[in-house]
Amino acid sequence: MDRYGLICRNIMEKPDITQRELAKALNVSLGTVNHLMKECISNGLLAPDQQNSGCHVLMPAGEEYMKPYKVDGAIILAAGFGSRFVPLTFEMPKGLLEVFGERMIERQIKQLHEAGVYDITIVVGYLKEKFEYLIDKYQVKLLYNPEYSSKNTLTTVYRARHLLKGRNMYLLSSDNWLRENMFHAYECSAWYALSHTDGETSEWCVGFNKKGKITNVHVGGCDTWFMYGPVFFSADFSDHYIPVLEAYYETPGTEQFYWEHVYMDIVNGTVKKTLNRYNKHFKDLSSKALEITDDLLNRAVMYANCQPDNQIYEFENLEELRLFDPRYQTHSDNKALELVAEVFHVEESAIKNICCLKSGMTNKSFLFNINNEKYICRIPGPGTELLINRRQEANVYKAAEALGITEQIIYFNGENGYKIAKYYEGSRTANSNSWEDMKSCMELLKSFHEAGLQTEHSFDIWERIHFYETLCKSRGSILFEDYKDVYNHMQEMMDWLNSLNRPKILSHIDSNADNFLILPDGQIRLIDWEYAGMCDPLIDISMCAIYSYYNTEQLEKLMQLYFKREPSLEERLVIYSYMALGGFLWSLWAVYKSTLGEEFGEYTLIMYRYAKDYYGKFHADLSKL
């Protein structure tokens, strides 16, 4: 790290700074500071201030010397979900949570402004719209990372790499809280902020030499310094780091890497070893990887920026935030926590051990503990108020209550769909690849159907198809190229089903393996009844099959487990029809959900393929009837 530059920077910020204060700031001896000051003066960088005794001023040569160290801007990483902070992050990105009445990201932006750093880009992903107001309030820029939901920070930094090239830039996390402003208008070398721990830690620990140059990074350590908080990328560091970052990005298997994984391998000398491990042979490496030279790696240098205790905070979960900001013990401004506190007649501080249980295709759920008992709170996903009638769902639970096959409901709101249920310790969801599990699930499903429960509402799959189609078109969604042809095939099957006039009873509709809960004693609960209604019960076999991505052979096995015999030709054709119609329905559902910002990868294509493939099977076998 350039000590002349650090001397000049401190003089610029505080002309009357004492040598003792400089020694503390540079973490060197008083004698070393005295020597450095004399050299700066003799080199024409500094001069005593003739008008103010004890002060120094930067000379023109010093101003020229400092130009390469001018900070150009900052990148703030804010794309992630923050799963350890649910349910708060179901409603708000972690960086926008308040600490002592001030949002964490805003505190950092204001600290940057105080240091004269105004060119700020926030890399967003999850709930990106929540950050938009910052453009007007602080004149920041937003950069969207489309891979935020499936990849880690290596990808986020990769998406922002053009902002780093040839520039001196802070790299910050939106969810850091800094007690004192540690930003400057000038930075003299690349650095990573470090905090010290007494005792064991699982953090990324750092070794550095007497000059502060980081020499090794390893996960876990004892009584050591570890990476924690802001980072500064000098233009020179970025020039040598970014080519390695690009090589890692292009290497399969690194999708869940942090950007620090790349730096750790650079420092530890294991870049080529890692790239080899994730490729079959060295010759198969990407062109970017082959361009990496030892000289490039040796020049990607970063220094330790050791910070005092209680300076940098990165809250791991709500429990830590409650200890720091007492307001969160009783008032989190979160609907779900307020509801739980009201239902159980406790303060929010009594809700403990909160963790994300599911951020699923329709709902979000979290697990929590009150008085050593565990419960699950379900929060309806965005747009579900258009898709699901929660009063009908409440009626379904009442109808099925006598059978004792549903989860134990503690609270259910038929207006907004919030649900609190008992958590079954040691339970697991059924494994669709285990025929032993599926045999038990089909036996439960068959006994449920044989009970012949009735409700006032129906599940009309053709009405739902039209409904989702209308929603998709209203939002300008582009449907499939052969949509009209496939639609006509679906109508053909629907007309045939209607001609059968089959009996209807209460059916689950969402009978996928994840909704069969197997308890430690072997009992099974069928959960999540939000789509349930009066329908041909064979639809449940079809839905189970397509949700499990079953092929024809697996479907045959599933039908035999349910019927305990060979299905009749009519039963087989009914199941084929509902598989096709179900695939068509859920592909439209997924297209609509994508317009709300929720993507489900290949699910859309798989469901649409079921519509086409099982229409083919239906059409081929219909003549045999």
Side-chain angles (χ1 to χ4, degrees):
M1 187 172 284
D2 188 339
R3 291 181 176 181
Y4 287 174
L6 289 173
I7 292 287
C8 290
R9 185 186 75 183
N10 279 278
I11 294 295
M12 292 170 70
E13 294 178 346
K14 187 181 179 185
D16 62 346
I17 190 170
T18 67
Q19 290 195 10
R20 190 172 300 278
E21 289 172 330
L22 277 171
K24 183 178 180 181
L26 272 64
N27 195 28
V28 296
S29 68
L30 195 57
T32 299
V33 166
N34 182 270
H35 177 73
L36 290 171
M37 285 290 293
K38 289 179 179 178
E39 288 188 338
C40 286
I41 293 171
S42 66
N43 290 333
L45 304 180
L46 297 175
D49 188 340
Q50 300 301 322
Q51 297 180 350
N52 297 291
S53 177
C55 295
H56 289 78
V57 294
L58 198 68
M59 301 300 287
E63 293 176 357
E64 191 67 25
Y65 186 86
M66 293 301 292
K67 280 184 179 179
Y69 298 136
K70 177 69 176 174
V71 176
D72 297 303
I75 298 169
I76 303 179
L77 306 183
F81 169 49
S83 61
R84 288 177 292 184
F85 248 81
V86 298
L88 274 61
T89 47
F90 286 151
E91 300 176 3
M92 188 70 65
K94 187 178 175 185
L96 291 179
L97 297 178
E98 291 184 357
V99 177
F100 298 120
E102 182 181 37
R103 286 180 162 174
M104 286 187 279
I105 194 170
E106 288 198 41
R107 181 179 179 85
Q108 291 188 81
I109 291 171
K110 286 184 280 189
Q111 289 174 332
L112 287 166
H113 284 187
E114 289 171 5
V117 179
Y118 293 95
D119 187 349
I120 302 169
T121 299
I122 304 172
V123 188
V124 298
Y126 173 69
L127 293 181
K128 58 187 181 299
E129 296 81 7
K130 293 286 188 179
F131 294 95
E132 200 276 339
Y133 81 99
L134 295 170
I135 298 173
D136 299 308
K137 189 170 184 178
Y138 297 106
Q139 292 73 57
V140 303
K141 294 181 284 292
L142 302 186
L143 174 65
Y144 177 61
N145 171 18
E147 299 179 290
Y148 78 91
S149 62
S150 59
K151 297 184 180 182
N152 217 320
T153 61
L154 184 154
T155 299
T156 306
V157 175
Y158 173 85
R159 292 280 174 177
R161 71 194 187 285
H162 63 284
L163 299 172
L164 295 169
K165 291 180 179 178
R167 309 176 76 209
N168 298 320
M169 301 287 288
Y170 287 115
L171 183 65
L172 312 175
S173 295
S174 65
D175 57 356
N176 283 171
W177 189 89
L178 311 178
R179 185 177 298 278
E180 302 295 336
N181 192 345
M182 57 184 290
F183 304 128
H184 302 277
Y186 296 84
E187 292 287 358
C188 299
S189 290
W191 53 256
Y192 205 122
L194 307 180
S195 292
H196 193 271
T197 180
D198 295 323
E200 298 285 343
T201 181
S202 58
E203 298 281 357
W204 292 45
C205 301
V206 172
F208 50 90
N209 61 24
K210 292 182 179 180
K211 293 184 177 180
K213 177 183 174 182
I214 295 176
T215 55
N216 64 82
V217 178
H218 50 279
V219 179
C222 183
D223 301 328
T224 185
W225 292 93
F226 60 91
M227 294 175 161
Y228 202 62
V231 187
F232 177 71
F233 277 42
S234 66
D236 183 66
F237 175 82
S238 292
D239 285 346
H240 298 95
Y241 170 82
I242 289 174
V244 190
L245 175 78
E246 291 173 335
Y248 274 62
Y249 178 83
E250 293 180 2
T251 299
T254 61
E255 293 81 8
Q256 297 308 314
F257 276 27
Y258 297 101
W259 73 261
E260 288 95 338
H261 274 102
V262 181
Y263 175 65
M264 178 170 65
D265 280 350
I266 291 174
V267 173
N268 294 343
T270 54
V271 167
K272 292 182 179 178
K273 181 180 178 181
T274 296
L275 291 174
N276 270 318
R277 188 167 69 249
Y278 285 92
N279 288 269
K280 294 179 181 178
H281 303 288
F282 192 77
K283 64 181 180 181
D284 294 332
L285 292 175
S286 68
S287 59
K288 292 286 186 183
L290 294 173
E291 293 171 5
I292 296 174
T293 64
D294 290 339
D295 180 64
L296 184 79
L297 297 172
N298 292 335
R299 294 178 64 185
V301 176
M302 191 171 273
Y303 288 84
N305 186 350
C306 299
Q307 292 295 305
D309 293 342
N310 304 318
Q311 160 61 4
I312 301 171
Y313 291 84
E314 182 178 330
F315 306 104
E316 292 295 325
N317 50 51
L318 180 56
E319 298 289 344
E320 288 189 6
L321 184 54
R322 283 171 173 168
L323 292 174
F324 191 72
D325 184 351
R327 180 179 72 89
Y328 282 93
Q329 295 180 15
T330 57
H331 192 68
S332 64
D333 293 325
N334 179 263
K335 292 179 182 178
L337 290 181
E338 290 172 354
L339 171 65
V340 170
E342 180 182 347
V343 169
F344 288 92
H345 307 290
V346 296
E347 296 283 357
E348 286 189 24
S349 57
I351 308 168
K352 300 182 180 297
N353 301 321
I354 302 168
C355 65
C356 185
L357 191 65
K358 176 183 177 184
S359 183
M361 303 176 84
T362 304
N363 305 304
K364 300 175 175 67
S365 301
F366 67 93
L367 180 67
F368 64 93
N369 184 303
I370 292 181
N371 295 327
N372 296 320
E373 293 290 337
K374 292 183 178 180
Y375 305 92
I376 301 168
C377 180
R378 181 195 72 182
I379 302 171
T384 54
E385 67 279 359
L386 291 174
L387 312 178
I388 297 168
N389 187 315
R390 297 300 180 179
R391 289 194 184 92
Q392 291 178 353
E393 183 185 3
N395 290 336
V396 166
Y397 273 106
K398 289 180 181 178
E401 184 178 9
L403 298 181
I405 62 172
T406 73
E407 68 269 45
Q408 182 181 336
I409 303 298
I410 308 298
Y411 170 88
F412 192 101
N413 188 316
E415 298 297 324
N416 58 28
Y418 276 74
K419 179 179 73 173
I420 300 173
K422 176 184 176 181
Y423 175 77
Y424 295 93
E425 192 73 53
S427 63
R428 63 177 178 86
T429 56
N431 179 357
S432 61
N433 294 316
S434 165
W435 292 117
E436 183 178 349
D437 278 6
M438 297 314 294
K439 178 177 181 293
S440 299
C441 293
M442 291 303 100
E443 288 174 351
L444 176 70
L445 198 61
K446 186 70 179 296
S447 65
F448 160 58
H449 291 159
E450 289 175 344
L453 298 181
Q454 303 286 313
T455 59
E456 294 182 355
H457 69 279
S458 298
F459 180 83
D460 184 336
I461 195 167
W462 196 239
E463 179 273 332
R464 290 287 89 184
I465 285 171
H466 282 180
F467 176 68
Y468 286 121
E469 180 187 66
T470 301
L471 288 177
C472 289
K473 290 180 178 179
S474 70
R475 299 185 68 89
S477 298
I478 299 175
L479 298 177
F480 303 90
E481 191 69 18
D482 56 355
Y483 180 80
K484 289 184 179 179
D485 292 337
V486 177
Y487 177 91
N488 289 334
H489 294 157
M490 298 302 108
Q491 188 163 34
E492 178 187 337
M493 284 185 295
M494 197 69 241
D495 290 343
W496 179 80
L497 285 170
N498 288 335
S499 72
L500 299 179
N501 198 27
R502 289 178 56 82
K504 296 180 180 180
I505 58 172
L506 180 61
S507 303
H508 188 275
I509 312 300
D510 199 19
S511 49
N512 70 80
D514 287 345
N515 284 335
F516 287 95
L517 199 63
I518 302 177
L519 278 53
D521 62 2
Q523 293 186 63
I524 300 181
R525 297 286 184 269
L526 185 52
I527 64 175
D528 291 351
W529 295 70
E530 56 195 355
Y531 294 102
M534 299 293 287
C535 194
D536 184 334
L538 294 189
I539 194 173
D540 285 343
I541 312 302
S542 302
M543 294 300 185
C544 182
I546 64 174
Y547 287 141
S548 301
Y549 294 176
Y550 278 171
N551 58 31
T552 304
E553 182 181 345
Q554 291 169 311
L555 171 62
E556 289 294 326
K557 179 71 172 177
L558 188 71
M559 289 190 294
Q560 290 179 21
L561 290 176
Y562 177 83
F563 291 113
K564 296 184 178 179
R565 58 172 171 78
E566 283 290 324
S568 68
L569 180 55
E570 179 180 301
E571 290 168 335
R572 190 185 303 277
L573 289 172
V574 168
I575 289 172
Y576 285 174
S577 297
Y578 280 123
M579 286 181 71
L581 289 161
F584 193 63
L585 170 68
W586 300 127
S587 64
L588 288 172
W589 177 89
V591 169
Y592 167 66
K593 295 289 278 187
S594 71
T595 69
L596 302 178
E598 295 187 79
E599 292 288 346
F600 300 110
E602 63 180 356
Y603 176 83
T604 312
L605 297 176
I606 292 173
M607 291 298 109
Y608 195 62
R609 177 48 55 185
Y610 271 118
K612 298 167 80 169
D613 286 351
Y614 278 85
Y615 166 75
K617 293 182 181 298
F618 163 82
H619 188 72
D621 288 354
L622 185 60
S623 60
K624 301 175 184 177
L625 191 63

